Amino acid sequence: MAERILVLEDDPAMQSFLTTLLKTKAYQALSFEQGLPALQYLVQQSVDLILLDLGLADMDGQHWLTQLRSWSDIPVIVISARQSEQDKVKALDNGANDYVTKPFSAAELLARIRANLRQSIPSQQVFSFGQIQVDPVQRKVSRAGQDIHLTKTEYDILLLLLRHADRVLTHNQILSQVWGAAYIDRPEYVRVHMGQLRQKLEELPAAPRYLKTEPGVGYRLTLG
Ligand code: CA
């Protein structure tokens, strides 16, 4: 059955672009231009994912997201015209699952949609990307068959990124999951350990292929 995607966007050209794109990929697209009718619809009907424009005419997109998150955990990808990293971080902290910034390519948006529709990968699975293999049951990491030693913190960060593969994680999401809630707003902790992880896992640590930085926001492990 076609996955249902609700598009909340007040710009007619962008709305039309998005719904046409979704339909060509056999998604069912539902269009809304205003925040309140979209919320009222979502109280009655379920959808699989939401594309949310942060700059709505009738209400602030961040406020809309906070309202939705008070009763729903449907995946939300924010579409932001704003270059500000603060807006993206705020949206993610308000419960958005991911974002794209205008202008974005159709391929980029579709990849984000696929990643966010995907169910979380079960914990017993062996993960692999490039020549790296990660076995969560044995807590073993190897590269081309050779064991790699990771510290506990490095391993915890890697596993968190793997469980959210292809999706963005903010500095604070990583800090609270790996270090604990008392450690938020210490992005330098994450930066240091990500540097070490790249040294151990990436062929070119200075030009990482998998452990990608989202500038000002956080990190994304790209499997493709
Ligand atoms: Ca808008």
Side-chain angles (χ1 to χ4, degrees):
M1 210 171 70
E3 281 147 320
R4 291 156 55 81
I5 300 182
L6 186 144
V7 181
L8 178 50
E9 165 68 74
D10 62 351
D11 173 36
M14 182 56 82
Q15 175 72 257
S16 159
F17 166 76
L18 291 171
T19 51
T20 305
L21 176 68
L22 292 174
K23 284 172 186 167
T24 63
K25 295 294 169 186
Y27 293 116
Q28 191 184 338
L30 304 131
S31 313
F32 286 86
E33 290 169 15
Q34 296 201 320
L36 198 56
L39 279 179
Q40 286 163 344
Y41 178 85
L42 287 166
V43 171
Q44 312 280 343
Q45 303 283 330
S46 73
V47 301
D48 297 297
L49 186 135
I50 295 166
L51 298 180
L52 169 65
D53 173 23
L54 278 185
L56 297 172
D58 69 325
M59 66 195 283
D60 176 56
Q62 304 275 8
H63 180 60
W64 189 91
L65 184 57
T66 311
Q67 298 271 94
L68 177 80
R69 278 290 175 260
S70 66
W71 50 269
S72 167
D73 58 1
I74 298 166
V76 173
I77 300 176
V78 161
I79 295 179
S80 173
R82 310 171 193 190
Q83 297 301 313
S84 162
E85 288 152 1
Q86 284 303 324
D87 284 333
K88 295 175 197 167
V89 174
K90 190 177 171 197
L92 293 164
D93 286 344
N94 281 339
N97 300 74
D98 216 330
Y99 63 84
V100 289
T101 305
K102 297 176 192 171
F104 53 85
S105 70
E108 182 187 358
L109 177 64
L110 291 168
R112 296 276 184 280
I113 290 172
R114 284 194 302 274
N116 284 280
L117 282 171
R118 202 185 297 147
Q119 295 292 320
S120 293
I121 304 165
S123 57
Q124 66 275 13
Q125 185 179 329
V126 173
F127 300 97
S128 63
F129 54 97
Q131 293 189 308
I132 305 293
Q133 284 216 322
V134 182
D135 181 341
V137 175
Q138 300 195 55
R139 292 179 73 92
K140 275 180 70 168
V141 182
S142 62
R143 177 186 197 155
Q146 301 286 312
D147 284 355
I148 296 176
H149 175 73
L150 299 185
T151 65
K152 181 181 184 303
T153 302
E154 290 163 4
Y155 179 82
D156 289 348
I157 294 172
L158 178 62
L159 206 61
L160 183 66
L161 288 166
L162 276 167
R163 294 221 162 101
H164 297 81
D166 294 316
R167 289 175 279 173
V168 69
L169 285 168
T170 65
H171 295 118
N172 279 348
Q173 285 170 333
I174 297 171
L175 285 162
S176 65
Q177 295 279 321
V178 173
W179 278 268
Y183 289 84
I184 61 165
D185 296 327
R186 304 297 290 272
E188 67 277 11
Y189 283 31
V190 187
R191 207 167 295 135
V192 167
H193 288 84
M194 284 297 292
Q196 290 165 355
L197 264 179
R198 283 175 175 151
Q199 289 293 335
K200 294 180 181 180
L201 303 182
E202 294 277 358
E203 270 175 55
L204 300 170
R209 188 169 162 191
Y210 305 105
L211 299 163
K212 298 275 179 67
T213 298
E214 296 276 323
V217 175
Y219 296 93
R220 185 191 305 271
L221 176 68
T222 306
L223 294 182

